[in-house]
Amino acid sequence: GKYRVVSTKPMPGTRWINLLIEQDCRVEICTRKKTILSVEDIIALIGDKCDGVIGQLTEDWGEALFSALSRAGGKAFSNMAVGYNNVDVNAANKYGVAVGNTPGVLTETTAELAASLSLSAARRIVEADEFMRAGLYDGWLPNLFVGNLLKGQTVGVIGAGRIGSAYARMMVEGFKMNLIYYDLYQATRLEKFVTAYAEFLKANGEQPVTWKRAASMDEVLREADVISLHPILDKTTYHLVNKERLAIMKKEAILVNCSRGPVIDEVALVEHLKQNPMFRVGLDVFEDEPYMKPGLADLKNAVVVPHIASASKWTREGMATLAALNVLGKIKGYPVWSDTNRIEPFLNENVPPPA
Ligand code: GLV
Ligand code: GLV
């Protein structure tokens, strides 16, 4: 191969590898057992000559790595993730490295996990499963694992982008929930969908669903019964859900987070869960991954899974393919193309370098 492309982790499927090989790339995949690679580990992988790297959200892509990649002649980096809070885009600009991410292919998969966590929390699935396995079930009882009915309740979505909108639609259409959302931008297509669905229900003699775009995030937190967080993580969303905001939520609300851990003050959350046994959470992400804050693991009103929201076979193969196409596209000078037929510019294209 004329070009050397490094993947810091083995990724699902073979399509991404074949795409690169067919286009004159030599693909090197790091198979070390160590789960999280350090900056030094990755500098060693980059070596003296490297045209592009596919990396992971657990890695710190800042000044050190972009300068190393640039010194090795590298022009492209793709995160195998839609989130890129682990990537310093300004540093990439400074060293002339294009940065890609993998949106689109994980929208529905991630929304489906948020829906799964919502239902698991509402119907206490994990607690009930543990009870069964512990041999505690000794007969049907009217009071056994009574949870919440979602139909007619209000789902709150904070961050109604691709994933938040897909989740909202699932909860509204699947469970006939009313919608309240908060976003800096208007979710026009989502609003149209809920309006049309409400018409459909009305025409069929059913109670129509309602929707509202909230003027503030606090309005969502106060009014919704199930709240799912879908913002990006940056300075403005760090500890978005803190002690004060937890306090304004309903005592029996359900909070779901499939975005990034630091969006919630996890210490405050643990305290809130302890004080409010009817408040439940479904968490896919944590403030100090892979760790949980002390006490969280002991709480029955928390469902916790290890950052698996995008983990469907189709999506993970799609993310790997998109990441490969991002890197290949830059090396070859192609427009960036994805399986969803969406032309997505590199994140830092047309962004002027810092003065
Ligand atoms: C996963 O967390 C992603 O951002 O793709
Ligand atoms: C419950 O199992 C019922 O039959 O109502």
Side-chain angles (χ1 to χ4, degrees):
K2 187 168 154 203
Y3 308 103
R4 178 170 178 264
V5 174
V6 169
S7 174
T8 62
K9 287 286 166 197
M11 300 190 292
T14 51
R15 186 158 170 239
W16 70 273
I17 302 172
N18 292 332
L19 277 164
L20 289 165
I21 291 172
E22 280 161 16
Q23 300 284 319
D24 228 5
C25 295
R26 174 190 162 80
V27 182
E28 288 180 30
I29 303 168
C30 178
T31 56
R32 281 182 63 176
K33 283 274 187 291
K34 189 177 177 188
T35 303
I36 301 179
L37 298 183
S38 68
V39 166
E40 292 69 35
D41 294 333
I42 298 169
I43 288 176
L45 290 177
I46 290 170
D48 296 334
K49 183 203 180 278
C50 181
D51 296 283
V53 177
I54 299 169
Q56 302 298 325
L57 60 86
T58 46
E59 300 158 4
D60 178 12
W61 280 85
E63 186 87 14
L65 288 183
F66 286 118
S67 69
L69 183 55
S70 163
R71 255 183 279 115
K75 291 271 177 291
F77 167 74
S78 184
N79 221 24
M80 184 211 174
V82 65
Y84 53 96
N85 54 292
N86 63 312
V87 181
D88 181 343
V89 178
N90 288 329
N93 280 339
K94 181 171 155 193
Y95 292 101
V97 178
V99 175
N101 66 339
T102 62
V105 291
L106 46 61
T107 302
E108 305 290 328
T109 297
T110 304
E112 285 180 16
L113 191 89
S116 305
L117 290 174
S118 305
L119 290 166
S120 300
R123 301 304 298 272
R124 308 170 63 184
I125 302 291
V126 174
E127 260 183 281
D129 177 279
E130 281 170 1
F131 176 87
M132 271 318 266
R133 288 170 201 270
L136 295 172
Y137 183 49
D138 61 358
W140 190 93
L141 284 170
N143 280 325
L144 197 59
F145 289 109
V146 173
N148 304 2
L149 172 68
L150 298 183
K151 184 181 175 188
Q153 286 205 324
T154 298
V155 63
V157 173
I158 292 173
R162 284 177 290 245
I163 299 168
S165 289
Y167 167 83
R169 188 172 158 153
M170 284 174 195
M171 302 312 282
V172 168
E173 186 175 22
F175 305 103
K176 298 185 181 148
M177 298 186 82
N178 300 312
L179 171 69
I180 177 168
Y181 80 92
Y182 176 75
D183 199 296
L184 301 175
Y185 302 95
Q186 188 181 2
T188 313
R189 281 208 298 177
L190 177 60
E191 290 180 0
K192 276 191 193 152
F193 167 76
V194 183
T195 304
Y197 185 54
E199 289 300 321
F200 166 84
L201 290 172
K202 215 157 84 188
N204 286 279
E206 291 187 62
Q207 179 73 29
V209 290
T210 63
W211 66 263
K212 177 161 88 168
R213 181 182 178 192
S216 71
M217 199 171 65
D218 290 358
E219 194 180 334
V220 175
L221 296 175
R222 259 192 293 271
E223 293 182 21
D225 301 289
V226 179
I227 293 151
S228 194
L229 306 172
H230 299 280
I232 61 161
L233 172 63
D234 64 12
K235 284 193 287 289
T236 67
T237 60
Y238 176 82
H239 282 192
L240 198 64
V241 176
N242 56 16
K243 184 170 185 270
E244 291 69 35
R245 288 209 161 111
L246 286 164
I248 63 172
M249 293 175 69
K250 293 184 182 178
K251 293 287 175 226
E252 303 191 5
I254 290 168
L255 177 66
V256 170
N257 189 10
C258 293
S259 61
R260 286 293 181 265
V263 168
I264 299 179
D265 177 346
E266 200 173 305
V267 169
L269 179 66
V270 169
E271 194 48 39
H272 191 76
L273 286 164
K274 282 185 187 161
Q275 302 299 326
N276 298 276
M278 302 300 280
F279 185 94
R280 301 199 195 105
V281 282
L283 302 174
D284 181 49
V285 289
F286 305 88
E287 209 173 332
D288 311 315
E289 268 173 59
Y291 308 105
M292 285 187 275
K293 293 291 189 195
L296 184 56
D298 303 322
L299 292 166
K300 292 235 180 286
N301 45 348
V303 177
V304 291
V305 295
H307 204 150
I308 55 170
S310 68
S312 71
K313 185 169 183 291
W314 186 87
T315 288
R316 286 285 167 87
E317 291 189 7
M319 291 165 76
T321 301
L322 205 45
L325 286 170
N326 283 342
V327 167
L328 189 60
K330 195 65 198 178
I331 290 173
K332 292 279 192 170
Y334 298 157
V336 180
W337 177 88
S338 84
D339 279 356
T340 52
N341 287 327
R342 181 188 34 78
I343 306 287
E344 185 87 9
F346 282 102
L347 294 170
N348 57 345
E349 212 132 87
N350 306 321
V351 178

